[in-house]
Amino acid sequence: MREHDPHGLLGPASSRIYDFSIGGKDNYASDREVALQAVETFPAARLLPRENRKFMRRAVRYLLEAGVRQFLDVGCGLPGKGNVHQIVHGVDPAAPVVYVDHDPVAVIHYQALLHAVPAATAVHADARAPRGILEHPEVTALIDFDRPVGVLMFSVLSHLLDEEDPDATVGAFREAMAPGGHLALCDFTDENLTPAERAAGEDLARRTGVPVTFRSRTRIADYFAGMDLAEPGLVYAPEWRPDRPYEPPTGWLLGGVAGKR
């Protein structure tokens, strides 16, 4: 039986695949099929959402401690437990938070969650068109780019192909930041992929239509060009300022946080 799909989006989407991977229910059969194929191909994929989510929470807490009081979450995906605005508003209920995603389903779910939260909103926009985000009226209504802002990009740039120029995307946000602004980023690295795993990943992307680009540590470090990386630098996600004992990292996700001089 065909699933009810009020938005006509039965094709797989990275935000909904991630939602299924963290135990969410806002996903379709096509999303679940891709997630299960990924785990079958790469057993470590089962742990990646947990690594990413925990890094996000620690990074946001670090930014709050650094005095950042406005946040732009680019490629937010679907809501889960412990969302950015909940962490932020636990410290400062007036701090603005804007979620951005190209998946309208993700945006609709956040908008429903935020209907009674005046300091937060969600907008439908694409990371591949950063000016459209930076100049979006709902973004500029809450975010003052003349003051420090925390730009969050968690497992989003890996879904941009090289020809879609993820470096230009990050560069646009770096340029828009005032001094004291921060970039928090977590993404897939290829430094531990065997040739067989690389080939299997490329085959999975072709079959499912959901691209995931693994990049070198150097490429990921370049996203922070001209910024000062906070200690311990660019490291495997679980190793970035852990607040409790952690499982050995998968070695697939690198994370870092950097401030603009």
Side-chain angles (χ1 to χ4, degrees):
M1 189 172 93
R2 192 170 175 83
E3 287 191 66
H4 175 59
D5 176 22
H7 308 291
L9 295 167
L10 280 171
S14 57
S15 59
R16 300 193 302 271
I17 295 167
Y18 184 86
D19 174 73
F20 173 70
S21 300
I22 61 174
K25 299 179 180 179
D26 299 311
N27 48 75
Y28 303 130
S30 58
D31 307 305
R32 297 190 285 273
E33 182 179 350
V34 173
L36 293 172
Q37 286 183 50
V39 170
E40 182 178 351
T41 305
F42 305 109
R46 190 182 303 275
L47 302 174
L48 299 177
R50 184 190 311 167
E51 288 189 351
N52 183 71
R53 196 78 178 172
K54 288 183 176 180
F55 173 84
M56 177 273 285
R57 293 170 184 155
R58 297 195 306 276
V60 170
R61 290 198 298 268
Y62 171 83
L63 295 182
L64 287 165
E65 291 170 1
V68 175
R69 286 298 182 270
Q70 43 181 5
F71 295 81
L72 182 63
D73 188 353
V74 181
C76 58
L78 281 148
K81 294 180 180 179
N83 301 294
V84 171
H85 74 281
Q86 292 164 327
I87 300 168
V88 170
H89 291 164
V91 174
D92 184 350
V97 177
V98 177
Y99 295 100
V100 180
D101 207 280
H102 79 291
D103 179 4
V105 174
V107 175
I108 289 168
H109 278 272
Y110 263 112
Q111 288 173 339
L113 180 65
L114 301 170
H115 74 280
V117 184
T121 193
V123 301
H124 182 217
D126 197 318
R128 291 167 291 193
R131 298 309 314 177
I133 297 173
L134 292 164
E135 298 170 4
H136 194 291
E138 290 185 63
V139 174
T140 56
L142 282 181
I143 302 294
D144 178 3
F145 288 100
D146 290 329
R147 297 190 298 110
V149 59
V151 175
L152 315 176
M153 306 187 84
F154 301 122
S155 296
V156 59
L157 296 171
S158 56
H159 295 296
L160 273 61
L161 302 173
D162 285 341
E163 53 265 36
E164 293 172 318
D165 204 352
D167 300 276
T169 287
V170 183
F173 289 105
R174 287 198 316 262
E175 184 179 346
M177 285 182 194
H182 283 72
L183 171 65
L185 186 150
C186 184
D187 230 320
F188 288 93
T189 178
D190 66 0
E191 63 185 18
N192 294 309
L193 284 186
T194 66
E197 288 173 331
R198 187 187 298 274
E202 292 171 353
D203 178 65
L204 181 63
R206 281 193 299 269
R207 287 189 286 110
T208 62
V210 180
V212 178
T213 303
F214 292 78
R215 295 187 169 95
S216 70
R217 181 180 290 263
T218 300
R219 280 291 308 278
I220 295 172
D222 285 345
Y223 293 144
F224 298 102
M227 305 183 79
D228 296 320
L229 274 165
E231 291 294 335
L234 183 63
V235 297
Y236 295 133
E239 296 175 347
W240 195 87
R241 295 177 176 257
D243 49 14
R244 63 192 66 184
Y246 57 88
E247 300 171 354
T250 60
W252 284 34
L253 285 176
L254 287 174
V257 178
K260 186 169 183 178
R261 301 166 191 163

